[in-house]
Every structure is written in structure tokens, then in C-alpha cells.
Amino acid sequence: MAKRINVRNSKVKPPKQEEQEEKQIIELRIKSSLRKRPYGFLAEAGISTSGLSPREAWETWNDYQKSVRKGKSEKEQKSQTIITPMSAQIERHAPVKVIEPDSKTVKIPELSSSAISMANSNSHFERGTASEREYKSYANRILDMNISDGKKEKLLEELKKRWDKLLGYQASWVPWTVAGPARYNAKKLDKGEQVMSTSREISEWFDGVEKSVKNSTIQYKDESKKKAQKAEEWVQRAINSGWYTNPTTIANGLAEVALYDTKRFIELYESYDKKYHFRKNTNAAKIYEQAKVGMYKGEKKPQKLHETDNLNTYKKNIQAGERVFMKFTTRPKPQLIYALKRRGWHWNSNEGAWSIDSKKYDAKFVAGIDENYKKYL
């Protein structure tokens, strides 16, 4: 080791003193913050530096510093907020509203914070945070659905199960810009295809859930007024166009209104009868006489047979006759669809439900499906 020479007195330092100075220099180098930049700073802040190049590490540190400064400025603004005398008086005399926690409120299951952090650190942007934000958007749409709390909890559990799979791919997905310089296997760490396919599966599943929920009770929606108005407009258009050329055809056209609104049909029949003098032996005249005494009820409304949070079964008259229809709140598995077909049920696209002849309806079979519905989701 080369010895140091003091220029002032041109004397050689003793070996022990030289060794002590070298140790001090080494300690200073170790304690210097220059060795910590930027990876040491990130580690102290609790930010993962796995796979980050020096430039990317500096960018991550600068972004972190900006967020810290922004948080401090917001706290200072809040602490400097001045309450005017009027606002203070309002707050002093305003009644205090105590909100008691509701034990029945459905809560959104939380995703893994470590997986979110890993997804953020393994990407050039906050991939994990963006994924969590999208997950909560789906969850809030479930909470807004017109279904029971129990059904919402089941759907949220299913959503979290699917999203955990997606977040796992997102957390282990290292872009080639990081994997390449770090000499990792870029193809093995690329989870782009898995992320895309899983996201598509979640989207298709959720679309099916929304359609099923919307369609599960649509048969009970009362649209009689709308249908009666449409039938009335058709009669008026047919008269103006010359399609109804005699009183009998006009009276039969008005009979369509009676299916949905008997009161309006009576008014229209009496009004048109003054002008066209309808015959008393037509079907429209017979319907009019029955409606006057309350014997004609119009179109028969669906009859509820079995309705729970899982499914809805009802009886309804259609052109093919009296049939029983069944609608599920969420789309069932193929095993249940196979069992329905073996029992004689078939899909009715017009009604958007599974259908069977009312004479073949088995209430015990439907009750068994309801009890074991969890297996068929």
C-alpha cells in the first residue's frame, strides 16, 4: 500500500495513524447518502425496487416525493381554513346527526394489498391501483342491483374470486423493458395474454349477470297502459288509411284495446258507436257488454308460482297455451341446463326464460333447484 506524504512538513505518517485514517474514510463512504441513491431511499420509504433500472428508480423516487409534498400542502390548507362567525354559529346550533352502523350493509371484499403493491412495482404505472379501482367499479354496480343483500354478497364473493386470479397475473407480469435489462426471461414473465383473457371472462360473466338480474322480474312490469295506447293508435291509423272499411272491422280493432285497458275500451266503443252504429252480435259488442258489468278482465296477468332470490317461476298464457316459465337471477352452469332439458324444459327466446307446459310442471323439482342453487352458479 502506497504511503501518504505530508506536503507541509515532508514527513511520513506512522502506519497506525495511516490505518486509522483509511478506516475513517471507509466509514464515511458507507454512511454517505450517495450510496443509498436511489434504491436506498426507495427501500426506506417501503417501495419495492425489484427489476428497476437506475433511471426508473429515480423517476419512482421523484414521483414519491411529489406525492409527499402534495399531501403536506393539502394538510396545511386544511389547518389554515378560517371559519366565519356565521358558519361557526350554524355549526354550533345545528343538530348533531348520529349515524348508527348498519350490520346488514353489504361490504365490498378487499383485494390483497401485497398483490396490488407488487403489480404497481412490476409496471411503469400503478397497474395494481388501477385494477383495484376497476374492481370497485364492478362491485358498486352489484350493490346498485335490485336484488337481496344475500344475493349481492354471493355475487361480490364470485367477483373477488375472479379478480384475485386477474390480480395474480397482473402482479407477476414484468414488462420486457424491465425484464430485458435485468436479464430475466422476458417471455416467461409476460402475462399479457392471461390478463387479457381473464379480463374478457370477467366482462362476459358480469354482462350475463346484469342481463339475468334485469330479466328476472321483467314479466311483472305493468305495461298495459302503453299497450292499450299503441292499439288505439293502430285503430286510428287504420281508419285514416282506409284499411278498416266497415263498422265490424273497426269494432274488432277496438277489441284489442280491451285486452289491456277495459275502461278505455268502453269509452272508445261508445264514442265510435255513435258514428258507425256497431252490430250487437259481434265479438266486440259481446266484450263491451261483459266489460260494462265487470265480467271481462282483459289479458290474464302472470301468476307467481315460486319466487326467491335465486329464481322466479310463473304461469302465463301465450298463443301456444298456458305455460310455466322460469327465470334465474344469475346464469346457471351447463349441468343445470342439461337437467332442465332432460325434464322437458326448453328455452323461450320471446319470454327470455325456460318454459314447460303447465301440466308437466313439477313444483318439487323447482324447489330442489332453489335449495341447491349455490352448486349451479
Side-chain angles (χ1 to χ4, degrees), residues 210-363:
E210 283 190 321
K211 290 180 181 177
S212 299
V213 171
K214 184 179 179 180
N215 190 44
S216 60
T217 57
I218 196 172
Q219 71 278 356
Y220 299 123
K221 187 177 180 180
D222 188 9
E223 295 184 346
S224 56
K225 297 292 183 182
K226 185 178 179 180
K227 291 180 179 180
Q229 184 179 1
K230 190 175 181 180
E232 181 180 345
E233 291 174 353
W234 169 257
V235 172
Q236 189 60 47
R237 190 184 307 115
I239 294 173
N240 296 337
S241 302
W243 299 333
Y244 290 166
T245 56
N246 57 68
T248 303
T249 55
I250 294 174
N252 291 333
L254 292 174
E256 188 73 15
V257 180
L259 290 173
Y260 314 111
D261 192 346
T262 55
K263 184 178 179 180
R264 180 57 180 166
F265 166 72
I266 293 173
E267 295 175 357
L268 291 173
Y269 188 90
E270 293 176 349
S271 176
Y272 280 92
D273 187 36
K274 294 177 180 178
K275 181 178 180 180
Y276 295 102
H277 305 290
F278 297 137
R279 295 170 57 186
K280 303 301 179 182
N281 59 345
T282 59
N283 291 333
K286 295 176 182 178
I287 294 174
Y288 170 74
E289 295 296 335
Q290 292 178 1
K292 286 283 288 183
V293 296
M295 296 294 294
Y296 185 80
K297 301 297 182 181
E299 185 182 45
K300 190 176 180 181
K301 295 182 179 180
Q303 177 186 353
K304 293 182 182 180
L305 298 177
H306 186 97
E307 185 175 8
T308 64
D309 296 337
N310 301 323
L311 54 88
N312 180 25
T313 308
Y314 59 95
K315 188 188 296 184
K316 184 179 179 180
N317 284 326
I318 59 175
Q319 291 183 352
E322 189 179 62
R323 302 193 65 86
V324 173
F325 297 94
M326 180 162 53
K327 294 182 178 182
F328 295 98
T329 306
T330 54
R331 186 181 298 177
K333 287 183 178 179
Q335 293 89 327
L336 177 55
I337 295 176
Y338 176 77
L340 288 173
K341 291 181 178 179
R342 289 291 302 269
R343 287 277 186 161
W345 293 77
H346 69 273
W347 180 253
N348 188 306
S349 57
N350 293 330
E351 193 70 17
W354 291 94
S355 173
I356 195 173
D357 190 279
S358 59
K359 297 177 182 179
K360 298 180 181 179
Y361 173 67
D362 188 354

Side-chain angles (χ1 to χ4, degrees), residues 86-99:
M86 180 59 73
S87 61
Q89 185 177 0
I90 293 173
E91 291 181 2
R92 191 182 303 116
H93 296 285
V96 179
K97 184 179 181 181
V98 180
I99 301 175

